[in-house]
Amino acid sequence: MPRRLAATFVATALTAGPALLLGAVPAHATGSHGPARGTADAVVLRTGLNVGLLHKTLDVPLNAVLNDVHAPASASKTALTVTLDGIDGGKPFSVLRADAATARGTADRHRAEGYANLVRAKVRLPGLPPQLSLIEARQVTAKAVCAAGQRPRAESNVLGPVRVLGKKVTLTAGGTTDVKVPGVGEVRLDLSRKSVTSKSAAATALELKVSLNPLRLNVAEVHGQVTLVRAGCTAPGGTAPGDNGSGATSGGQTGGQSGGQSGGQSGGSKPAGGGTHVQQTGAKPGTGQNLAETGGSSATPYLAGGAALLVAAGAGAIGYTRRRRGAAPQGGRG
């Protein structure tokens, strides 16, 4: 009977112990449950320009960005100042000034939203007279929403009058407007460009293709692209679109992300292309953190304790059996 009892303890411990131990230590990341989070981004201004210096073959890149955020984050800065090598003796140059400039991105497993807003904004470029802006706008907004199980949507609005190179222009939704000023240059303006797929959406309120020949401040020409107010998102469980998926910022992102994004967000740093020092003024962007949590469930301590008791009982049973076997021959001889 003692041997059978010991064998039972041993079998129970060896069978149940490992199973309980395996069930006691599951570790998981909270992000692995349910669909992946969506993504969202927004930017108020991005430039991808080349500034040609007078009497030289050198092009100085002007890659600047203001309020470029990726969810979860927000930024509220109203001015963007740059310094260009060889331009006006290296003096700081104001590219954008606005009464309000906001970008916001939010995302979770149910919904992702990008939003950008600009109020009473003036965008200036080097070489233009101080009183002449590339563009003036009263209010510009862009919004992209991607909700789980719903078709993504994107929208942009330009409220109030818009002036390009001092000329008041009439904009057509989804259309293109050409503005030409003799002795200054020309601008092609695209309004409300949108891209919507089954999993992503993006909207750009204004996109300007610039070709200027101001012949001032040692500037012979300025050409490239300016993106004004963009928002994008991908649905929870979706795949983030590439640069071409935005549908509106392929040209501006080429130079803006490589040099202007790093320079614009750090403030005062120099992009890879060289030539541009960027400084932003306004509130500091807020960022959020999504950290994975690991560990077992609330029953882990009880499972671990029970497994330990079973292992101890099994060890005791084995020891008891060995002592019985060692004592049996002696008892027989007595």
Side-chain angles (χ1 to χ4, degrees):
M1 182 63 69
R3 291 182 180 180
R4 291 179 181 178
L5 182 61
T8 301
F9 272 113
V10 172
T12 302
L14 294 177
T15 301
L20 288 176
L21 285 174
L22 288 174
V25 291
H28 63 276
T30 56
S32 63
H33 297 280
R37 291 178 180 270
T39 64
D41 62 89
V43 64
V44 167
L45 172 75
R46 179 180 288 119
T47 68
L49 299 167
N50 285 322
V51 180
L53 301 185
L54 192 62
H55 303 308
K56 294 183 180 179
T57 59
L58 178 65
D59 280 345
V60 179
L62 174 51
N63 300 322
V65 64
L66 180 71
N67 295 358
D68 188 5
V69 300
H70 299 265
S74 63
S76 180
K77 296 180 179 179
T78 57
L80 176 64
T81 301
V82 302
T83 301
L84 293 175
D85 295 340
I87 306 298
D88 198 18
K91 296 179 181 178
F93 180 83
S94 175
V95 174
L96 174 101
R97 288 195 176 276
D99 288 354
T102 304
R104 181 173 64 248
T106 59
D108 55 28
R109 296 185 182 89
H110 305 288
R111 177 187 174 95
E113 178 178 327
Y115 172 80
N117 180 53
L118 192 58
V119 178
R120 296 192 181 278
K122 292 184 179 181
V123 178
R124 296 183 59 242
L125 294 182
L128 293 178
Q131 71 277 8
L132 186 62
S133 299
L134 171 66
I135 185 170
E136 298 180 26
R138 179 180 296 176
Q139 185 174 7
V140 187
T141 62
K143 183 179 181 180
V145 179
C146 299
Q150 300 180 17
R151 181 170 176 79
R153 65 182 190 272
E155 62 183 30
S156 59
N157 293 289
V158 179
L159 305 176
V162 173
R163 291 184 176 274
V164 178
L165 297 178
K167 287 187 174 183
K168 186 176 180 179
V169 298
T170 301
L171 302 176
T172 303
T176 299
T177 302
D178 291 321
V179 179
K180 297 181 180 180
V181 178
V184 177
E186 61 183 81
V187 175
R188 170 164 289 188
L189 182 66
D190 288 324
L191 172 69
S192 298
R193 298 190 63 179
K194 295 186 291 185
S195 173
V196 178
T197 69
S198 60
K199 291 293 185 180
S200 65
T204 300
L206 292 170
E207 186 175 84
L208 298 88
K209 293 182 179 178
V210 179
S211 180
L212 305 178
N213 53 341
L215 302 178
R216 292 185 72 254
L217 301 178
N218 196 35
V219 176
E221 61 178 14
V222 180
H223 58 89
Q225 186 165 305
V226 175
T227 300
L228 202 64
V229 181
R230 180 194 179 276
C233 65
T234 58
T239 302
D243 289 344
N244 294 331
S246 67
T249 59
S250 58
Q253 287 180 349
T254 302
Q257 286 185 343
S258 63
Q261 184 170 345
S262 60
Q265 289 182 339
S266 61
S269 61
K270 198 171 184 179
T276 309
H277 304 266
V278 184
Q279 182 178 1
Q280 303 182 37
T281 60
K284 205 170 185 179
T287 58
Q289 294 181 340
N290 292 319
L291 301 179
E293 298 178 0
T294 60
S297 66
S298 59
T300 298
Y302 302 100
L303 294 174
L309 288 175
L310 287 175
V311 173
I318 293 174
Y320 175 77
T321 302
R322 289 178 177 175
R323 288 196 299 272
R324 292 284 299 175
R325 287 180 179 176
Q330 297 177 1
R333 287 193 299 270

